[in-house]
């Protein structure tokens, strides 16, 4: 599942990749109209790979999650911490997507730091969740950092 997909470049590219053969990819955004069009435009590529790519609306400020199978292997977020208004809703959404007992789903977050106060608050919230999340920086390139985030096993 990709959070804040925008036009869907990351998620749709993943679904079209030979390496994702057989995967079920969900791309989400507050307004999913363009995502639905872009998924439909690439359906032949997905079918050739045996993958599916589904666009869903997901507003981080709303507590309800769209209907989908709750078992997620991977959640992706590319440049989703872009201003102070996103940190708390993103944290709350991650908590809904990764239940307290789930220590296997991974959240891969890549972003360019812009608002250090809200970004610090986001990472502090992760560490104070119950059970807490572990956020590990796994790659830095230029101004972007990639984090691997997962619930800590008790």
């Amino acid at each position: 599942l990709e959070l804040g997909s925008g036009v869907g470049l990351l998620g749709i590219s993943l679904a079209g990749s030979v390496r994702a053969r057989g995967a079920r990819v969900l791309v989400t955004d507050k307004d999913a109209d363009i995502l639905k069009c872009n998924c439909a435009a690439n359906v032949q590529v997905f079918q050739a790979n045996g993958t599916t790519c589904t666009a869903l609306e997901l507003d981080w400020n709303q507590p309800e999650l769209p209907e989908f199978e709750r078992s997620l292997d991977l959640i992706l977020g590319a440049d989703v911490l872009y201003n102070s208004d996103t940190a708390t809703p993103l944290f709350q959404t991650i908590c809904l997507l990764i239940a307290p007992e789930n220590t296997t789903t991974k959240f891969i977050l890549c972003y360019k730091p812009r608002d250090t106060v809200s970004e610090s608050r986001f990472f502090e919230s992760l560490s104070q969740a119950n059970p807490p999340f572990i956020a590990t920086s796994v790659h830095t390139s230029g101004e972007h950092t990639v984090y691997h985030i997962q619930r800590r096993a008790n």
Side-chain angles (χ1 to χ4, degrees):
L1 180 137
E2 181 188 9
L3 294 171
S5 300
V7 297
L9 180 62
L10 176 61
I12 290 171
S13 296
L14 176 63
S17 168
V18 174
R19 299 186 87 173
R21 195 170 297 279
R24 217 176 110 235
V25 177
L26 303 171
V27 289
T28 67
D29 210 298
K30 186 175 183 177
D31 180 357
D33 290 343
I34 190 72
L35 287 172
K36 291 174 183 176
C37 290
N38 288 342
C39 286
N42 289 283
V43 72
Q44 289 179 337
V45 174
F46 306 145
Q47 288 173 342
N49 273 343
T51 59
T52 62
C53 188
T54 305
L56 300 171
E57 288 187 8
L58 178 57
D59 182 347
W60 304 344
N61 290 302
Q62 301 297 320
E64 294 182 32
L65 293 176
E67 294 292 322
F68 59 85
E69 184 182 316
R70 296 287 297 180
S71 176
L72 299 170
D73 296 323
L74 187 62
I75 299 169
L76 303 172
D79 208 20
V80 291
L81 276 177
Y82 52 86
N83 69 40
S84 61
D85 295 336
T86 61
T88 298
L90 176 61
F91 168 71
Q92 293 168 341
T93 300
I94 292 301
C95 288
L96 288 172
L97 290 170
I98 305 175
E101 67 278 1
N102 181 343
T103 59
T104 59
T105 298
K106 297 168 185 68
F107 174 38
I108 306 298
L109 171 67
C110 177
Y111 77 100
K112 174 183 175 180
R114 293 182 179 89
D115 181 349
T116 56
V117 172
S118 63
E119 292 154 8
S120 294
R121 188 170 51 242
F122 173 77
F123 285 102
E124 184 176 321
S125 295
L126 288 173
S127 69
Q128 293 177 355
N130 185 17
F133 290 89
I134 303 299
T136 307
S137 173
V138 294
H139 181 76
T140 300
S141 177
E143 297 179 334
H144 292 83
T145 302
V146 177
Y147 287 90
H148 174 268
I149 300 168
Q150 198 166 2
R151 289 263 190 196
R152 181 185 308 162
N154 289 334

